[in-house]
């Protein structure tokens, strides 16, 4: 079958302004709960889009690890490609896709590192192998082969044992949203798109409908 012939009719649900919560983070948590209740794989997976210092786009999939202080939190190596891009331009876009529910959410906002104690707490909660890997892998850098990574992992295991401290170059980011769009597939491609925009700081959110 040709890709152009692949089609899907969207019939599962709708999203009306009257049913949307006034707080977009509460609305997001509702939809995330629905995705988890439906037992969708990696319901917390999100595409993280950044830009380089010259403005070139860059994207990858990461995992949401919390909604804290009004923002979306994920963890990574600060020296990785995304870390370097966020250091140069601390802005990002997140996209969540729950295809089985015919839903997606787009988040745009500013990015800041979470406090060190929050990164420490999350790092300690990770499996031992993941903690050692944070030491062994110079994320996004070229390596000669997998053997190099395995040897580095073994060296870190011998050095730190089962109590590795958090690497100083590894920790969390919080995306503080200025806009969130909720997309619900509808029949005949007349999809529901509700866009929340942050009003003045502390003044809540505005809500508008976008044409599909």
């Amino acid at each position: 079958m040709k890709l152009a012939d692949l089609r899907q009719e969207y019939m599962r649900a709708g999203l009306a302004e009257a049913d949307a919560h006034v707080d977009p983070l509460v609305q997001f948590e509702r939809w995330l709960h629905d995705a988890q209740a439906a037992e969708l794989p990696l319901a917390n997976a999100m595409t993280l889009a950044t830009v380089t210092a010259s403005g070139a786009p860059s994207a990858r999939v990461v995992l949401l690890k919390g909604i804290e202080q009004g923002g979306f939190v994920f963890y990574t190596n600060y020296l990785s490609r995304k870390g370097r891009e966020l250091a140069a331009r601390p802005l990002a876009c997140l996209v969540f896709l729950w295809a089985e529910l015919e839903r997606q959410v787009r988040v745009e906002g500013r990015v800041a590192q979470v406090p060190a104690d929050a990164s420490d707490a999350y790092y300690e909660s990770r499996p031992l192998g993941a903690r050692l890997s944070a030491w062994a892998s110079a994320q996004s850098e070229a390596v000669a082969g997998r053997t190099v990574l395995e040897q580095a992992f073994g060296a870190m295991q011998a050095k730190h044992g089962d109590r590795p401290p958090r690497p100083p170059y590894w920790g969390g980011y919080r995306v503080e949203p200025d806009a969130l769009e909720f997309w619900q597939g509808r029949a005949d491609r007349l999809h529901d798109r509700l866009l929340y925009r942050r009003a003045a700081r502390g003044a809540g959110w505005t809500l508008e409908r976008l044409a599909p």
Side-chain angles (χ1 to χ4, degrees), residues 24 106-109 176-181 195-198 205:
R106 181 171 54 83
V107 179
E108 298 175 1
E176 302 172 352
D178 290 314
L180 299 92
E181 180 190 329
L195 175 63
Y196 295 80
R197 292 186 187 275
R198 189 184 294 278
W205 298 85

Side-chain angles (χ1 to χ4, degrees), residues 107-145:
V107 179
E108 298 175 1
R110 291 152 299 142
V111 184
Q113 292 183 8
V114 304
D117 58 348
S119 291
D120 289 340
Y122 176 71
Y123 181 81
E124 287 298 320
S125 75
R126 304 182 86 208
L128 176 59
R131 283 178 279 152
L132 291 169
S133 179
W135 281 102
S137 174
Q139 194 175 105
S140 302
E141 299 300 321
V143 293

Side-chain angles (χ1 to χ4, degrees), residues 62 74-80 82-83 86 139 169-173:
V62 299
F74 66 96
Y75 292 85
T76 191
N77 186 317
Y78 293 144
L79 304 180
S80 65
K82 56 185 169 297
L86 289 171
Q139 194 175 105
Y169 50 79
W170 189 98
Y173 289 101

Side-chain angles (χ1 to χ4, degrees), residues 46-194:
M46 59 188 186
T47 299
L48 165 66
T50 56
V51 294
T52 66
S54 63
S58 177
R60 74 290 291 159
V61 177
V62 299
L63 297 178
L64 175 69
K65 289 300 180 177
I67 302 174
E68 303 166 6
Q69 299 180 7
F72 296 77
V73 176
F74 66 96
Y75 292 85
T76 191
N77 186 317
Y78 293 144
L79 304 180
S80 65
R81 176 176 174 178
K82 56 185 169 297
R84 296 192 299 269
E85 290 169 354
L86 289 171
R89 291 195 175 187
L91 300 169
C93 179
L94 308 174
V95 177
F96 296 83
L97 173 64
W98 300 302
E100 293 86 345
L101 301 180
E102 301 173 353
R103 289 173 172 173
Q104 67 175 332
V105 178
R106 181 171 54 83
V107 179
E108 298 175 1
R110 291 152 299 142
V111 184
Q113 292 183 8
V114 304
D117 58 348
S119 291
D120 289 340
Y122 176 71
Y123 181 81
E124 287 298 320
S125 75
R126 304 182 86 208
L128 176 59
R131 283 178 279 152
L132 291 169
S133 179
W135 281 102
S137 174
Q139 194 175 105
S140 302
E141 299 300 321
V143 293
R146 182 171 181 83
T147 300
V148 174
L149 294 174
E150 293 172 345
Q151 289 174 343
F153 185 92
M156 292 300 102
Q157 192 171 32
K159 179 178 180 179
H160 295 296
D162 61 358
R163 295 293 298 172
R166 177 176 64 90
Y169 50 79
W170 189 98
Y173 289 101
R174 183 174 58 253
V175 180
E176 302 172 352
D178 290 314
L180 299 92
E181 180 190 329
F182 293 80
W183 181 98
Q184 175 72 63
R186 296 295 300 273
D188 301 317
R189 297 301 191 266
L190 291 178
H191 309 307
D192 289 326
R193 296 177 61 189
L194 298 188

